[in-house]
């Protein structure tokens, strides 16, 4: 198990930079390459999530939608702050 923890904003920012719509497999590939296969994810309110748990959480908050194997991000629903503005424990 790793101690790598990644803020959900990093995932959302990747989706925005990729044009707002990304195939789920491409996101998983990017996340694995960028953060490792055992990375855990957190948001301002939840910690210790897997990538799948994070995606479900972000979808439940209206920040992204999953249609089949395609993820679409809604930048207007994202928090107006940078992930690094928060003093999270890493």
């Amino acid at each position: 198990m790793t101690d790598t923890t990644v803020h959900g904003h990093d995932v959302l920012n990747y989706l925005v930079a990729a044009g707002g719509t990304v195939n789920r497999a491409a996101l998983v590939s990017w996340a694995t390459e960028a953060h490792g296969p055992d990375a855990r994810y957190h948001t301002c309110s939840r910690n210790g999530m897997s990538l799948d748990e994070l995606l479900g959480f972000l979808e439940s908050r209206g920040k992204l939608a999953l249609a089949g194997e395609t993820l679409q991000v809604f930048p207007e629903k994202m928090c107006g702050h940078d992930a690094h503005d928060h003093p999270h424990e890493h």
Side-chain angles (χ1 to χ4, degrees), residues 6-8 41-47 49 54 57-58 88:
V6 180
H7 199 290
Y41 297 84
H42 66 273
T43 64
C44 300
S45 62
R46 288 189 60 190
N47 293 310
M49 293 179 280
L54 173 69
F57 176 77
L58 295 173
H88 291 290

Side-chain angles (χ1 to χ4, degrees), residues 9-87:
H9 287 173
D10 291 344
V11 174
L12 292 172
N13 289 334
Y14 166 78
L15 292 168
V16 170
T21 304
V22 175
N23 179 279
R24 184 183 182 94
L27 175 68
V28 171
S29 178
W30 166 80
T32 300
E33 184 176 314
H35 306 296
D38 297 324
R40 302 305 286 178
Y41 297 84
H42 66 273
T43 64
C44 300
S45 62
R46 288 189 60 190
N47 293 310
M49 293 179 280
S50 68
L51 182 59
D52 284 339
E53 290 168 332
L54 173 69
L55 295 177
F57 176 77
L58 295 173
E59 186 174 28
S60 76
R61 295 291 195 250
K63 296 175 191 271
L64 61 81
L66 178 60
E69 287 299 307
T70 302
L71 289 158
Q72 179 180 0
V73 69
F74 303 113
E76 68 276 7
K77 300 279 188 174
M78 292 169 56
C79 298
H81 57 261
D82 186 272
H84 302 289
D85 290 342
H86 291 287

